[in-house]
Amino acid sequence: GEDVEQSLFLSVREGDSSVINCTYTDSSSTYLYWYKQEPGAGLQLLTYIFSNMDMKQDQRLTVLLNKKDKHLSLRIADTQTGDSAIYFCAVTTDSWGKLQFGAGTQVVVTP
Amino acid sequence: EPEVTQTPSHQVTQMGQEVILRCVPISNHLYFYWYRQILGQKVEFLVSFYNNEISEKSEIFDDQFSVERPDGSNFTLKIRSTKLEDSAMYFCASSGDSFSTDTQYFGPGTRLTVL
């Protein structure tokens, strides 16, 4: 079945850019998402990209998709302390289908 | 902004007891989901529900689990006889209005503790 992998931890200084990486195995993954989870809270949808796109920019967030390598990344520009959270990559082959999640990357922003 | 809500936020139960977790999806959404996250593990899909029936379920979703949409607003997950290993955070999600099916919005979760 589908496997989604993420690095577990990222430490970044306030004001720097953060890059969170994700790899997946199913080449038919069509919809790819990034969710954010703050302590004690649910999963907040941050952004998403379709497999027919290479890049999507949304304010401080940039998503890059390399379909050949099955690699997805999320770049956060000018990282703030409020960006400290766990970031989950999730993929699905159908718009209504189940999401397959990575284990999440804990991002810690230091002053 | 519309959001998915879940109750209770935390449920403590004894092993063998039945629990019902409740969710109110976003009002014009058509697809409903349950996921769970055991502490320290990945978020796992349990079941999806569309047009008043289960559209897909995982191997975790055995006969102990059931889902229901008892009225036009609620979506429930019932665990018939809880086990210790059912302790997890349970997330409800919904998606799909008339215009788009492609984004699942999650609730804040219910933390289930089985003693």
Side-chain angles (χ1 to χ4, degrees), chain B residues 8-27:
Chain B
S9 55
H10 191 189
Q11 172 97 44
V12 181
T13 190
Q14 296 288 326
M15 192 169 56
Q17 295 296 304
E18 175 183 286
V19 295
I20 298 176
L21 310 183
R22 291 187 164 80
C23 169
V24 179
I26 294 173
S27 65

Side-chain angles (χ1 to χ4, degrees), chain A residues 42-53:
Chain A
L43 297 164
Q44 175 197 350
L45 178 68
L46 278 182
T47 186
Y48 59 95
I49 192 169
F50 300 135
S51 60
N52 61 355
M53 301 164 68

Side-chain angles (χ1 to χ4, degrees), chain A residues 25-81:
Chain A
T25 55
D26 190 344
S27 55
S28 59
S29 296
T30 313
Y31 302 84
L32 305 104
Y33 302 87
W34 285 101
Y35 286 86
K36 176 183 180 183
Q37 185 180 38
E38 296 182 74
L43 297 164
Q44 175 197 350
L45 178 68
L46 278 182
T47 186
Y48 59 95
I49 192 169
F50 300 135
S51 60
N52 61 355
M53 301 164 68
D54 297 323
M55 187 183 91
K56 181 180 179 183
Q57 186 143 10
D58 184 359
Q59 299 182 342
R60 291 191 297 123
L61 305 177
T62 303
V63 181
L64 294 177
L65 175 61
N66 181 327
K67 288 183 288 293
K68 176 174 165 290
D69 294 339
K70 298 198 264 305
H71 182 265
L72 181 72
S73 67
L74 174 69
R75 179 176 179 270
I76 306 172
D78 187 25
T79 312
Q80 303 298 306
T81 53

Side-chain angles (χ1 to χ4, degrees), chain A residues 94-109:
Chain A
D94 301 303
S95 61
W96 59 88
K98 65 184 180 190
L99 292 176
Q100 198 79 26
F101 281 84
T105 299
Q106 171 100 50
V107 173
V108 173
V109 183

Side-chain angles (χ1 to χ4, degrees), chain A residues 4 33 35 45 95-97, chain B residues 33 35 42 45 101-104:
Chain A
V4 181
Y33 302 87
Y35 286 86
L45 178 68
S95 61
W96 59 88
Chain B
Y33 310 82
Y35 292 81
K42 290 185 179 184
F45 168 78
T101 59
D102 52 37
T103 309
Q104 292 182 31

